[in-house]
Amino acid sequence: MESTDIVIIGGGVAGAAAGFALASRRRVVLLERENQPGYHSTGRSAALFTEAYGNRAIRALTRASRAFFMAPPAGFAEHPLLTPRGTMIIARADQRERFEQSFADAHALVPTVRRITAEEALRLVPVLRPDYVAHAHLEPEAMDIDVHAVHRGYLRGITAHGGRIATDAEVTEIARDGARWRVRSRAGEFAADIIVNAAGAWCDEVAKLAGVAPIGLVPKRRTAITFDMPDPQAIHGWPSVIDVDEQFYVKPDAGRMLASPADETPMPPCDVQPEEFDIAVLIDRLEQATTLQVRRLVSKWAGLRSFVADKTLVAGFDETASGFFWLAGQGGYGIQTSPAMARVAAALIGGQGMPDDLLAMGVTEAVLAPRRCRT
């Protein structure tokens, strides 16, 4: 049995970021059930960095992550992690009430968010239909995230500080062994003071293995496609476009268009695949809102976005199980909040409490604590 300070279960962005923050001060072993970290949700994300997305706690965690993304530690990545994109929210005339609330919420936290006219929206994205777009607001500082570079940077940081990453390491048993945890996996057996449960859609399953009550995590399928455009250069500077009711989103992606129906279909934890019905719904919505024509799919995929009831991330020790730390419920926000959540995990595990900058923005331990999910 290998002895370590912390076992992190899950090699997606949550576990990798936590390991990155912890490995410089503790002995860390990260266990990934697949043959490569990030196979599931992280590797299937089309992440945007937008400070106007999610509830108040999510937006605060995103804002607190900006500095890291803009200036990561030396050697973290070879290229910038963020590149300019912008995000435009559009609404039909019958969606005005929802649009006004969306704009008010976004502008309150991100002052650079501004209303734009329908005419300006059409100039920014010429494929929008004039009879569809009645209202729009723009977040000019939203950016594309290089998900692969972010994830790989975290993983490299773990090993650079002496941490270990084991793949093909599905956890099969977790039990207390005196004052420590014993974790049996397909890659070996480990003894640790602390378990970090960062298993994404499988977090409740991991908790059950440890005899810990679940937090009501619900994995939800999200579908995406890419398709070719006649003039790839023409779309390069377009912002991402999101329907105000999140019925769809579309954005340029490496010379192609990436689109999603923004579906949230509850699913059990699995290697989720796209459904043809969801793709048909997406194409219909795109044709209603734009002149885009999806003649041939270049690629299609689905990922799981896992939420608890209040759609806020979960981070903290379980009050019923000493040394069992939850890092779960990332939903669609896990990548853009990962630097801040890594700091949260390191601070709470180290007994230092919530970082001051997050406290100043209203993110307390109670806001993220797992116990809130069971009340």
Side-chain angles (χ1 to χ4, degrees), residues 59 89-108 113-116 134-137 243-245:
R59 294 176 185 184
I89 305 297
I90 62 171
R92 302 182 306 270
D94 62 294
Q95 295 173 303
R96 179 169 183 171
E97 184 176 348
R98 177 71 186 93
F99 172 81
E100 294 294 343
Q101 187 62 56
S102 170
F103 173 73
D105 290 346
H107 184 71
V113 171
R114 59 183 177 87
R115 294 175 185 267
I116 59 175
H135 313 284
H137 64 75
D243 171 79
V244 71
D245 287 325

Side-chain angles (χ1 to χ4, degrees), residues 197-231:
N197 181 10
W202 285 264
C203 277
D204 272 352
E205 304 302 316
V206 167
K208 290 175 186 176
L209 281 178
V212 176
I215 56 174
L217 201 68
V218 180
K220 297 182 179 183
R221 185 178 66 228
R222 171 62 56 92
T223 305
I225 64 171
T226 60
F227 55 95
D228 285 326
M229 292 290 289
D231 185 357

Side-chain angles (χ1 to χ4, degrees), residues 57-223:
I58 298 300
R59 294 176 185 184
L61 289 162
T62 303
R63 291 175 65 194
S65 297
R66 175 183 280 273
F68 181 96
F69 283 131
M70 296 299 292
F76 186 87
E78 297 175 357
H79 306 289
L81 300 177
L82 302 180
T83 53
R85 172 61 56 203
T87 293
M88 181 165 63
I89 305 297
I90 62 171
R92 302 182 306 270
D94 62 294
Q95 295 173 303
R96 179 169 183 171
E97 184 176 348
R98 177 71 186 93
F99 172 81
E100 294 294 343
Q101 187 62 56
S102 170
F103 173 73
D105 290 346
H107 184 71
L109 283 175
V110 187
T112 56
V113 171
R114 59 183 177 87
R115 294 175 185 267
I116 59 175
T117 64
E119 291 74 20
E120 186 175 354
L122 267 63
R123 284 196 301 272
L124 288 170
V125 183
V127 295
L128 291 170
R129 292 188 182 275
D131 59 350
Y132 189 95
V133 180
H135 313 284
H137 64 75
L138 182 70
E139 182 186 0
E141 295 181 359
M143 290 178 271
D144 287 332
I145 304 176
D146 187 334
V147 177
H148 179 77
V150 170
H151 188 224
R152 290 297 163 192
Y154 290 141
L155 295 173
R156 280 196 302 268
I158 293 173
T159 57
H161 286 104
R164 183 154 95 80
I165 298 169
T167 56
D168 293 313
E170 180 181 2
V171 172
T172 57
E173 183 182 333
I174 304 173
R176 292 293 290 183
D177 186 3
R180 309 191 82 201
W181 288 98
R182 186 182 74 251
V183 180
R184 181 172 294 166
S185 80
R186 301 196 186 283
E189 197 166 344
F190 304 86
D193 301 318
I194 294 169
I195 290 174
V196 175
N197 181 10
W202 285 264
C203 277
D204 272 352
E205 304 302 316
V206 167
K208 290 175 186 176
L209 281 178
V212 176
I215 56 174
L217 201 68
V218 180
K220 297 182 179 183
R221 185 178 66 228
R222 171 62 56 92
T223 305

Side-chain angles (χ1 to χ4, degrees), residues 38 50 84 86 112 163 192 264 279:
T50 165
T112 56
E264 291 188 347
I279 295 173

